[in-house]
Amino acid sequence: MTMEDSDALGWRSIADLVGDHPDAPVALIGAGLNERSLTPGRCDLGPRAFRAVLPRFSTYDVETGAELSTRIHDAGDLPLKALSPADAFEPVRDAVAGQGRRALTVLIGGNNAITRPGVHALGLAKGLSSAGLLTLDAHFDLRDTDQGLTNGNPVQALLEDGLDGRRISQIGLAPFANTRRAHDKAKAAGISVRTARDCRQRGLAAVATEELDRLSALCDVLYVDFDIDVIDRSQWPASPGARPGGVSAQDFFDAARVIGAHPKVRVVDLTEYDPSLEIGDLGSLTAGRWFCELLAGFETR
Ligand SMILES: N=CN[C@@H](CCC(=O)O)C(=O)O
């Protein structure tokens, strides 16, 4: 008997909450942007792998007693095949902005270049000056843009677009995976930077909470980029940029719950998941659990 066949035992899956629900408070968009990754791969397969795993998650959280029931509008997958980050800008921005009435829009990447148009969608109504950005990422993503947009420079591009660095928090930065120049750029821009060690020692959720509080005082609405390479490579190997020494998957889940609960968080993305690097189903199961945690947090708003 598969889990999907086991209705008689009361199994209800997260996948049952996802569908054509025009009035749902949460929207899901697949954004499998794959071009101009610094490490070429198949991040375009992320949305499909993510959707496929959802039937394996129950709506019941045995640790809190919560039964998830939030309806999620499935806005489908964007046709981004072979598009550069520059050409994907408008389709991604407009798709996210089109869900603007939702309390929360979840963008499943795709490489990290989806973050820039996602933030722009959030700022469309009032301009970028209303928006803030929190990244959970091993990297600054502050590489120069003179060679064009890549998955290594969405934050740099946003600074150049006019996003005030003081409205950016970056947590989970990994040692020996970034340059001094990028760190200096972050400091000069006023970005709040928290290292992987800080996050491991204090807990990613605690650090995320502090940074959300800081950003909330400055911003009307917040965007959160969950780049999975913040996680220790042993726990999510299907990520080109992940290294040993990252945060734990459990920490990532705990952070997703507090972030999902925050009322100013309006758009989140999950980036850099490359299913072609998958070992078994480790990455897809981690992505699915992340989504459950996000929803569990959301239901406490
Ligand atoms: N967002 C990811 N940034 C990484 C690149 C990951 C890769 O494609 O290897 C970086 O800038 O180093």
Side-chain angles (χ1 to χ4, degrees), residues 22-96:
D23 298 324
V26 178
L28 179 67
I29 303 173
L33 182 60
N34 190 51
E35 294 300 308
R36 305 295 314 275
S37 288
L38 297 176
T39 305
R42 294 299 307 272
C43 284
D44 56 308
L45 300 176
R48 193 197 309 166
F50 171 80
R51 288 170 190 285
V53 86
L54 295 182
R56 298 175 65 184
F57 288 90
S58 166
T59 51
Y60 181 60
D61 177 1
V62 72
E63 291 181 337
T64 64
E67 181 82 51
L68 301 186
S69 60
T70 299
R71 298 268 165 208
I72 299 134
H73 176 63
D74 190 347
D77 290 344
L78 298 172
L80 302 176
K81 194 165 174 52
L83 290 193
S84 67
D87 289 338
F89 179 82
E90 280 189 22
V92 175
R93 181 199 61 189
D94 294 351
V96 175

Side-chain angles (χ1 to χ4, degrees), residues 37-39 112 137 139 141 143 151-154 177 227 229 240-241 272:
S37 288
L38 297 176
T39 305
N112 215 155
D137 195 329
H139 305 98
D141 290 345
R143 293 172 188 268
N151 66 334
N153 60 26
D227 179 334
D229 68 27
E272 297 293 322

